[in-house]
Amino acid sequence: MSSSPKPRPTPASLRPAGSSLPVTGAQSLVRSLEAVGAEVVFGIPGGAILPAYDPLYDSTAVRHVLVRHEQGAGHAAAGYAQATGRVGVCMATSGPGATNLVTPIADAHMDSVPLVAITGQVPSAAIGTDAFQEADICGITMPITKHNFLVTSAADIPRVIAEAFHIASTGRPGPVLVDLPKDVLQASTTFSWPPTLDLPGYRPVLRPHGKQVREAARLMATARRPVLYVGGGVLKARATAELRVLAEVTGIPVVTTLMARGAFPDSHRQNLGMPGMHGTVTAVTALQRSDLIVALGARFDDRVTGQLTTFAPEATIVHADIDPAEISKNRVADVPIVGDCREVIADLIVAVREEPATADITGWWAQLDGFRNRYPLGYQWPPDGSLAPQYAIERLGSIVGPDAIYVAGVGQHQMWAAQFIRYEQPYTWLNSGGLGTMGYAVPAAMGAKMGRPDTTVWAIDGDGCFQMTNQELATCAIEGIPIKVAIINNGNLGMVRQWQNLFYGERYSHTKLGTLAARRIPDFVLLAEAMGCVGLRCETREEVDATIDKAMQIDDRPVVVDFIVGEDAQVWPMVPAGTSNNDILAARDVRPDFDAGV
């Protein structure tokens, strides 16, 4: 069984750590991390941050994991946060160390992941002089952080760390950066805990407005073609139990976005699957034909809406989100509800029970069941007899089961993992949704395994993604983090090749990753073994189950499975970019007939 995620900390959980004591700024930093309950820091030391590493050496409460690249530190912290619900922490030195964190910080910002990034900075007197390894990391990350701090006094460190964790984990979660000049870390100060938070302008609204909730309930009771459009905000709010109650009380069909896979069980009859560019025909069409969309923690992003002007033309919109900036940003909300999704859904349950349904949605369900029966997810085997990538992923999910955590990179394998693995529990599917960051999977899986060590963690990666951050396998081997990696190896940048196939006349410009004398470069089995892991290879359908079983039997070190698959497999269904959801293709040149049998 999987270990359950830990609840994200709140300010009340900041535990006392002693009275005023003379310390350096660096010692104050480490004691502050201990006091907020940070368990693990992923990072790499360097000149400007080095003072912090000396007291970190003595900490028995905070484990440091030495990664091989700062990008790996950021993604590992994000994976830890997504798997546990707690704040992930990464650390880097100034200049290139800090800028290497920019991609994972942007990734966390897009996907609302609670992250605190701690960076060293050149001494205060040298800031602005283009000193060695200087970068204005606060300025660089201002658009992609929830907040950031440049600490100018060692006395401020406990308060800043407490505020950073509070901001990252409350309201709409997100990344916070703390930049610490070297002289501030070296300065003498005193340490006391807990500090007084000073955030007068930060007051996230948690409780929804009752009138708006009652209006939403009235619309749900009278709609004939309603849909619950569930986004990642439901997971952030720990609201999956409430969601199930709401769905079952109302009988309304549910779609779960890429970021919300697992928020509602795939086996539940009311789950229509994932909407979006590569969503199920039923989920995409349900939104498109609906007369009421109840959006819960979702943001109407372009991958779900397709061409925005043609999206769900007959639908009234109820939009609930903790971030008021998201409401009506893309699609105007007829009933805007600002609040934490757990609070919103709990109030909706009460309201819909008091507002008996007057509309009959049996006809709507008949239509949806017709779509579901006619256009199930499926795939064809490559005509050359090579292994179908969808089959390898489907069997992985079946053999490993719903208690594991699956962490995907970005591309075709990500979509197949979202489509063909059955997600029955929350916090078992991690991926880079908004930014679409290649290289996310391996370090994020490492972080997830650190946060939930008793849970099996599989990274599902493409051969392109894997080559961006596979150096973190060495970290996993040395640190004793036995993740498992499934490489869907088609020898190409698969999703880009698919677009070249469909939209660029099969002109495959610079997407083949390379072979030499009929050998694939690199040999991932040898690479895995060189990094202290077990390397396995699977090339045929007959080998799939036995190879997965063998990987599952190894728990003392990381395992890498190289699945050699056909290069021409494509992800279907598909809404071509920039087109209407009405133009969804069930397969190449196959446009669904939505009127058949209705």
Side-chain angles (χ1 to χ4, degrees):
M1 293 294 291
S2 64
S3 56
S4 55
K6 301 171 184 176
R8 64 191 187 206
T10 62
S13 71
L14 302 181
R15 58 182 187 269
S19 57
S20 295
L21 297 170
V23 292
T24 65
Q27 289 171 321
S28 180
L29 170 65
V30 173
R31 293 190 183 191
S32 297
L33 291 173
E34 293 172 342
V36 294
E39 295 178 319
V40 59
V41 173
F42 302 91
I44 299 179
I49 196 66
L50 194 56
Y53 271 80
D54 187 65
L56 191 59
Y57 184 78
D58 297 320
S59 178
T60 58
V62 180
R63 176 178 175 182
H64 181 271
V65 173
L66 176 62
V67 297
R68 294 326 186 242
H69 192 284
E70 290 89 355
Q71 182 179 353
H75 290 318
Y80 172 92
Q82 288 174 295
T84 66
R86 303 189 67 189
V87 177
V89 186
C90 54
M91 187 180 290
T93 195
S94 63
T99 59
N100 281 343
L101 288 177
V102 169
T103 294
I105 289 171
D107 188 273
H109 180 68
M110 288 287 280
D111 288 345
S112 303
V113 178
L115 186 77
V116 169
I118 299 169
T119 53
Q121 185 53 275
V122 300
S124 301
I127 292 177
T129 68
D130 291 332
F132 177 66
Q133 290 193 330
E134 181 186 0
D136 178 11
I137 196 62
C138 285
I140 290 167
T141 61
M142 189 173 292
I144 55 170
T145 51
K146 194 173 174 185
H147 190 63
N148 60 37
F149 299 87
L150 174 61
V151 183
T152 57
S153 170
D156 292 336
I157 290 175
R159 176 184 57 79
V160 167
I161 293 298
E163 290 177 354
F165 273 70
H166 176 56
I167 293 170
S169 61
T170 56
R172 179 180 183 174
V176 177
L177 182 132
V178 178
D179 198 29
L180 293 158
K182 189 171 185 178
D183 59 306
V184 172
L185 290 171
Q186 293 172 323
S188 296
T189 185
T190 57
F191 174 78
S192 63
W193 197 272
T196 300
L197 304 191
D198 183 22
L199 298 168
Y202 181 68
R203 294 189 183 90
V205 175
L206 303 181
R207 294 285 299 146
H209 194 288
K211 181 179 178 182
Q212 301 299 84
V213 170
R214 290 191 296 273
E215 177 62 13
R218 185 190 67 79
L219 291 170
M220 293 167 74
T222 57
R224 295 186 178 277
R225 300 187 307 279
V227 178
L228 297 179
Y229 164 34
V230 176
V234 169
L235 290 171
K236 306 298 181 189
R238 303 320 231 218
T240 57
E242 290 80 2
L243 171 65
R244 182 163 185 163
V245 173
L246 178 66
E248 292 177 349
V249 165
T250 60
I252 294 176
V254 177
V255 300
T256 53
T257 67
L258 180 68
M259 293 306 298
R261 301 292 287 119
F264 193 72
D266 277 350
S267 60
H268 199 289
R269 185 191 177 279
Q270 288 174 243
N271 193 338
L272 304 183
M274 181 178 72
M277 176 177 280
H278 294 295
T280 68
V281 170
T282 309
V284 172
T285 308
L287 287 175
Q288 199 66 6
R289 293 191 164 200
S290 64
D291 65 357
L292 175 68
I293 293 175
V294 181
L296 302 169
R299 56 188 179 88
F300 292 89
D301 67 284
D302 62 296
R303 283 304 190 257
V304 168
T305 65
Q307 187 180 63
L308 187 61
T309 56
T310 66
F311 175 70
E314 298 177 10
T316 299
I317 304 297
V318 174
H319 191 179
D321 202 285
I322 199 167
D323 185 356
E326 286 296 343
I327 295 178
S328 295
K329 183 179 77 174
N330 295 327
R331 174 68 179 259
V332 174
D334 298 286
V335 181
I337 303 176
V338 178
D340 180 82
C341 272
R342 189 171 184 177
E343 303 280 356
V344 172
I345 297 172
D347 285 2
L348 274 174
I349 292 168
V350 174
V352 297
R353 283 174 169 158
E354 295 174 350
E355 184 83 40
T358 58
D360 183 0
I361 63 172
T362 55
W364 177 230
W365 268 114
Q367 289 186 47
L368 298 177
D369 286 337
F371 300 151
R372 188 153 51 182
N373 292 333
R374 286 195 302 278
Y375 303 107
L377 288 171
Y379 54 89
Q380 294 180 332
W381 280 82
D384 62 1
S386 56
L387 178 60
Q390 302 96 324
Y391 178 78
I393 292 172
E394 186 176 49
R395 291 305 300 155
L396 179 67
S398 296
I399 292 170
V400 176
D403 291 334
I405 294 174
Y406 301 91
V407 187
V410 169
Q412 288 182 314
H413 61 281
Q414 176 191 26
M415 295 297 106
W416 290 322
Q419 291 176 336
F420 292 104
I421 293 176
R422 306 277 286 178
Y423 298 97
E424 299 297 322
Q425 301 176 27
Y427 318 108
T428 55
W429 163 251
L430 313 182
N431 80 126
S432 170
L435 197 64
T437 306
M438 291 179 68
Y440 166 90
V442 170
M446 175 174 66
K449 185 66 173 177
M450 286 290 294
R452 293 171 63 183
D454 297 330
T455 302
T456 299
V457 178
W458 274 90
I460 300 174
D461 224 352
D463 47 324
C465 283
F466 181 71
Q467 291 186 72
M468 292 193 172
T469 52
N470 63 42
Q471 69 274 359
E472 301 309 335
L473 286 175
T475 307
C476 290
I478 291 169
E479 296 283 345
I481 310 170
I483 66 169
K484 304 180 193 300
V485 182
I487 305 172
I488 307 302
N489 184 357
N490 64 2
N492 289 269
L493 299 173
M495 188 62 87
V496 184
R497 178 184 170 89
Q498 175 168 335
W499 282 46
Q500 289 172 334
N501 178 282
L502 296 175
F503 310 122
Y504 292 87
E506 300 182 20
R507 289 165 54 84
Y508 300 120
S509 174
H510 304 292
T511 46
K512 195 167 189 65
L513 289 169
T515 58
L516 180 64
R519 291 176 52 234
R520 297 200 181 206
I521 304 297
D523 184 319
F524 290 133
V525 172
L526 294 179
L527 179 64
E529 292 173 352
M531 292 193 180
C533 308
V534 174
L536 305 173
R537 179 169 289 118
C538 177
E539 300 188 58
T540 68
R541 176 175 186 164
E542 291 72 26
E543 297 172 321
V544 169
D545 285 16
T547 305
I548 295 170
D549 286 336
K550 185 174 182 180
M552 288 295 291
Q553 292 169 12
I554 301 168
D555 289 321
D556 60 341
R557 48 188 166 152
V559 182
V560 176
V561 182
D562 184 14
F563 288 101
I564 306 296
V565 302
E567 67 177 2
D568 289 321
Q570 297 189 344
V571 183
W572 301 107
M574 182 178 184
V575 179
T579 67
S580 169
N581 283 349
N582 293 322
D583 299 324
I584 188 172
L585 298 173
R588 184 163 190 160
D589 301 325
V590 178
R591 182 165 294 174
D593 180 2
F594 293 118
D595 295 321
V598 175

